[in-house]
């Protein structure tokens, strides 16, 4: 049995993937991986994901240059979540130009933006959105 067979893929052949900064332990983003993207990630040491919105394989940083170098891959006890310990090139994981995609905190019943935009997405991506 292959190590990939130990992953509990959902009915669409995907597994949740959490990218965590290897130094600070901050969660930078949550994405999806299919079998091919997980294999590519393991083989190359660069994070690859499956884009549900574009329905295609996606190498993180292919447009922005903000690649993720993978130090470690972990599988949770249920086999349905992958955690990638990564170094984030450019200091930004989010297509909004922020360090982390998790930049809003619930405060008194409202989502409050807690992280600044480090770089305008229009200057990072050709179409200005990163999607």
């Amino acid at each position: 049995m292959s190590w990939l067979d130990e992953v509990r893929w959902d009915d669409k052949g995907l597994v949740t993937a959490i990218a965590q900064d290897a130094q600070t332990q901050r969660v930078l983003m949550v994405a999806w991986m299919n079998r091919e993207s997980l294999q590519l990630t393991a083989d190359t040491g660069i994070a690859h994901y499956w884009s549900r919105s574009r329905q295609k394989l996606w190498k993180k940083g292919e447009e922005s240059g903000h690649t993720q170098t993978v130090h470690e891959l972990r599988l949770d006890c249920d086999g349905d979540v992958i955690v990638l310990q990564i170094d984030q090139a450019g200091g930004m994981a989010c297509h909004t130009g922020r360090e982390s995609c998790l930049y809003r905190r619930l405060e008194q019943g409202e989502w409050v933006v807690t992280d600044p935009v480090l770089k305008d997405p229009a200057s990072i991506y050709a179409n200005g959105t990163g999607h």
Side-chain angles (χ1 to χ4, degrees):
M1 176 163 72
S2 162
W3 61 272
L4 288 165
D5 295 329
E6 295 182 49
V7 176
R8 279 191 29 206
W9 307 99
D10 71 9
D11 60 350
K12 294 182 177 116
L14 302 175
V15 66
T16 303
I18 300 169
Q20 184 177 35
D21 186 286
Q23 301 304 312
T24 68
Q25 304 301 299
R26 181 170 187 194
V27 173
L28 300 179
M29 59 180 270
V30 177
W32 295 92
M33 293 179 128
N34 64 5
R35 196 175 182 95
E36 182 182 7
S37 62
L38 182 53
Q39 182 72 62
L40 273 169
T41 299
D43 290 348
T44 66
I46 302 296
H48 290 73
Y49 301 101
W50 176 257
S51 172
R52 294 179 305 164
S53 60
R54 294 177 286 175
Q55 289 292 296
K56 71 174 205 157
L57 195 63
W58 158 53
K59 176 183 171 188
K60 176 66 176 161
E62 65 190 358
E63 289 183 36
S64 67
H66 301 150
T67 57
Q68 294 175 341
T69 302
V70 178
H71 290 276
E72 183 176 83
L73 292 169
R74 288 186 176 252
L75 181 64
D76 83 324
C77 59
D78 293 324
D80 61 359
V81 176
I82 303 287
V83 175
L84 300 86
Q85 292 283 318
I86 59 107
D87 282 336
Q88 178 64 60
M92 287 172 274
C94 187
H95 74 278
T96 66
R98 292 177 173 87
E99 174 189 19
S100 171
C101 296
L102 296 119
Y103 60 86
R104 295 178 282 191
R105 179 175 54 222
L106 185 62
E107 293 181 9
Q108 299 175 353
E110 293 186 25
W111 292 110
V112 177
V113 173
T114 59
D115 296 9
V117 173
L118 302 175
K119 192 168 187 181
D120 180 0
S123 68
I124 300 171
Y125 303 100
N127 65 8
T129 68
H131 290 128

